[in-house]
Amino acid sequence: MILQLAMSTTATKTSTNTSTATTHHDNISKAKTKTTLYPDFQLLNVKQALTETKTRPIKPSQFQELFKTNPNDSESGGKQKLKLVHRDKVSFSNKLHNHSHVFHARMHRDVKRVASLIHRLSSGSAAKYEVENFGSDVVSGMNQGSGEYFVRIGLGSPPRSQYMVIDSGSDIVWVQCKPCTQCYHQTDPLFDPADSASFMGVSCSSAVCDRVENAGCNSGRCRYEVSYGDGSYTKGTLALETLTFGRTVVRNVAIGCGHSNRGMFVGAAGLLGLGGGSMSFMGQLSGQTGNAFSYCLVSRGTNTNGFLEFGSEAMPVGAAWIPLVRNPRAPSFYYIRLLGLGVGDTRVPISEDVFQLNELGSGGVVMDTGTAVTRFPTVAYEAFRNAFIEQTQNLPRASAVSIFDTCYNLFGFLSVRVPTVSFYFSGGPILTLPANNFLIPVDDAGTFCFAFAPSPSGLSILGNIQQEGIQISVDEANEFVGFGPNIC
């Protein structure tokens, strides 16, 4: 199994002019006790990481060029590949770009997202959860900060290109529609159903409308209305519509057509739900896609694009596969079985039970593209953090920043030697993270923080910062999740 992993070297100060060339060792290995097949330490390129914080986001007017499709890689062997871009790579305002401001805004969104997930996964019975699941999925890109990664698709006939957010925890394809009594700002013109020959409203008696608990009915059309205590909401009609992905046309996709929407979500026109429920894009097209998709996320500071592919043909050869865990109370989410955590060459002494999904549907480990920072239950996080601190005593500490309590002042360093951070999974694979995935800059002055946080509940969440740069594949049909072998 091949994944990018920086090899260890010693820390060097700027004044030494020591070369910081980095070799890369890739690694998912079989579990060992004390001895490991991966390096105990690796190199964090501080200078490069700080340079990336100064990367200017592009303007919306440059979106077309960013998402320009190359006919040679748009579709290959039956696979449809779409480009993915992080929202922080794009500027929606004329305000001066500042990495600290962008970081704090991202953490603000993240706290709301995590609170929303915990609320959804801890409330009510299975029947009640189905209602909240549909509604929360509709607005998750708005007030819960799930608008992290953008993709470009065509909507309607003829297709109107729209920037959509992907969300692995959502079960609906949703877009703002005319007439719009209240909508947030988006880059593209609002979608007008009247201009689409393929738009078809869903009747109140249809099977699609039956999937929505407490659906309303107005003039024979199926309507939904979901609201939350913080004032965020979405209201609209359900419809069947044609979606275009590059050269692939998918007809009769059930979408939410939002006519009144309020929340923090700006820029994109709507949300492409990739969750495990029947109303998600994957659930609706299980016969055509084989219930499988693969993605690779990139951070804002890089000059490359991530990707999203649909179909069983997109499942890579050579990935490290682990079982996909199902939670009947939360069918939208993709759970995986994490057994433990490692720092350096040592597995941190944490009971495996801390990460397990119990019979009541609580706890467990969820993979989520909409959450930025990985969360672990407090007892696991503290043991994990303390092990990392123990092995980084040579690095100068800094004050806590936002949700991060373990930070370092790396001003003046070219590179630093840091212990390897690893995830131990069911079945034997060990995923070793690149240094940039667990020690991240929170400003442009050299403050770096250990990019994990405690969970206020028993739920663990594998966030997108830790997923960055690693190809992740979800094979629902065979109930496996794969890591690698490709990087982006």
Side-chain angles (χ1 to χ4, degrees), residues 148-444:
E148 293 289 300
Y149 288 89
F150 291 74
V151 70
R152 186 81 164 158
I153 69 173
L155 188 65
S157 302
R160 268 75 175 180
S161 293
Q162 302 277 347
Y163 297 99
M164 305 284 282
V165 159
I166 66 163
D167 187 352
S168 63
S170 288
D171 275 350
I172 194 166
V173 181
W174 170 83
V175 66
Q176 296 195 117
C177 290
K178 286 186 177 180
C180 196
T181 57
Q182 180 171 321
C183 284
Y184 58 82
H185 171 73
Q186 66 176 61
T187 303
D188 295 300
L190 287 172
F191 176 68
D192 190 346
D195 293 336
S196 173
S198 53
F199 184 91
M200 182 182 302
V202 172
S203 68
C204 301
S205 60
S206 72
V208 174
C209 193
D210 287 342
R211 297 183 192 178
V212 185
E213 295 288 344
N214 301 321
C217 190
N218 185 7
S219 301
R221 297 301 182 189
C222 184
R223 296 183 58 84
Y224 66 86
E225 178 176 342
V226 182
S227 60
Y228 289 85
D230 65 355
S232 297
Y233 59 80
T234 180
K235 305 176 185 179
T237 58
L238 294 180
L240 300 180
E241 185 54 289
T242 296
L243 304 185
T244 303
F245 300 82
R247 291 176 290 171
T248 300
V249 177
V250 185
R251 295 179 175 84
N252 295 321
V253 178
I255 68 170
C257 194
H259 300 291
S260 180
N261 316 285
R262 179 181 177 182
M264 295 171 57
F265 183 43
V266 295
L271 183 138
L272 184 67
L274 301 177
S278 63
M279 284 290 286
S280 77
F281 181 73
M282 298 308 301
Q284 293 187 59
L285 304 181
S286 59
Q288 299 179 49
T289 63
N291 259 6
F293 66 98
S294 184
Y295 64 88
C296 198
L297 309 177
V298 294
S299 61
R300 179 203 57 82
T302 63
N303 293 320
T304 58
N305 296 316
F307 63 81
L308 170 65
E309 290 182 285
F310 300 108
S312 55
E313 298 89 352
M315 297 298 96
V317 176
W321 297 97
I322 62 175
L324 176 65
V325 179
R326 292 293 189 183
N327 183 356
R329 287 190 60 203
S332 304
F333 295 99
Y334 300 110
Y335 284 78
I336 54 178
R337 192 177 179 201
L338 180 69
L339 301 182
L341 306 169
V343 177
D345 66 347
T346 304
R347 181 164 171 172
V348 181
I350 303 170
S351 171
E352 294 181 4
D353 293 340
V354 173
F355 304 110
Q356 299 313 302
L357 181 68
N358 65 32
E359 296 178 353
L360 299 178
S362 299
V365 182
V366 167
M367 292 178 52
D368 186 41
T369 60
T371 298
V373 177
T374 292
R375 274 29 177 228
F376 295 124
T378 300
V379 62
Y381 169 75
E382 290 181 348
F384 184 42
R385 175 203 61 196
N386 293 344
F388 188 82
I389 292 175
E390 179 67 24
Q391 297 189 42
T392 53
Q393 294 187 38
N394 61 315
L395 299 180
R397 293 291 298 272
S399 300
V401 179
S402 185
I403 65 173
F404 298 140
D405 60 16
T406 303
C407 301
Y408 301 86
N409 178 10
L410 302 185
F411 176 78
F413 285 90
L414 288 177
S415 60
V416 294
R417 186 173 180 261
V418 295
T420 294
V421 166
S422 307
F423 295 163
Y424 291 72
F425 289 115
S426 173
I430 303 174
L431 172 63
T432 57
L433 298 180
N436 288 336
N437 288 30
F438 61 83
L439 203 58
I440 66 170
V442 298
D443 56 31
D444 55 11

Side-chain angles (χ1 to χ4, degrees), residues 11-24:
T12 53
K13 277 285 191 176
T14 304
S15 58
T16 66
N17 294 318
T18 303
S19 170
T20 60
T22 303
T23 59
H24 291 92

